[in-house]
Amino acid sequence: RHTRRLQIVCAALLASLAGYAGVVTAVPLAVPPALPQGEPLLWGFAFLAAVNLVTIMPVYRAMLAGPRRVYTVGQQPERLLAAHFSAHIVAFARLEGVAVLGLVLHFLTGRQDWFWIFTGVAAVGMVLLWPKRNKVGALLAVPGEPGLQVPSPH
């Protein structure tokens, strides 16, 4: 159940990227771009996106560290699964932020290529972080207990 619920939320965030793409391709800019020479803005946004991307997994791991230690001692998965859900949503939201930077670049500069680059990076990140049942099973596995049977999340 945990994995399915997480997949639904993550699918909604991934679908929002498709919504952004629809807006960019279907809606022409009504006014000339505010910054037609937006290379400095591109580099600034690229720096923000890179810092965001580089720190996604350290933040994800930090969000799980405390609950993982508690789970190792108490073997009660509820808090660990709640922390996992939150960490995943935060990671996907941060990836969504990269796509939003591309969307803002498009509207300020009129450059669709920059939108597609930022959104493509966000989409690839979401696909790589897609929640899978075996990853949840690995999360719930206790080191030193080889035969642990993880209950089905359904």
Side-chain angles (χ1 to χ4, degrees):
R1 191 175 68 181
H2 169 77
T3 305
R4 177 61 53 203
R5 188 173 63 130
L6 189 55
Q7 286 174 340
I8 290 169
V9 174
C10 291
L13 288 167
L14 184 59
S16 70
L17 300 185
Y20 299 155
V23 168
V24 167
T25 56
V27 179
L29 294 175
V31 295
L35 300 168
Q37 303 297 327
E39 283 82 12
L41 186 62
L42 166 66
W43 290 111
F45 278 19
F47 175 76
L48 290 174
V51 169
N52 187 17
L53 292 170
V54 168
T55 59
I56 284 176
M57 289 313 292
V59 169
Y60 180 87
R61 288 184 193 107
M63 289 179 74
L64 289 176
R68 191 174 276 160
R69 282 190 300 272
V70 170
Y71 175 71
T72 302
V73 173
Q75 297 297 304
Q76 294 178 349
E78 295 80 21
R79 287 188 178 163
L80 180 57
L81 290 175
H84 179 254
F85 189 86
S86 296
H88 238 81
I89 298 306
V90 167
F92 266 66
R94 291 180 66 189
L95 287 165
E96 175 111 8
V98 172
V100 170
L101 289 173
L103 188 63
V104 170
L105 274 172
H106 167 67
F107 285 124
L108 290 177
T109 66
R111 298 277 309 260
Q112 275 194 17
D113 56 339
W114 292 351
F115 166 76
W116 291 113
I117 290 167
F118 279 70
T119 303
V121 168
V124 167
M126 288 182 179
V127 168
L128 290 174
L129 288 177
W130 189 256
K132 296 179 183 150
R133 183 176 294 160
N134 63 337
K135 289 182 181 179
V136 174
L139 176 71
L140 294 174
V142 177
E145 292 187 28
L148 182 66
Q149 293 294 319
V150 178
S152 174
H154 289 284

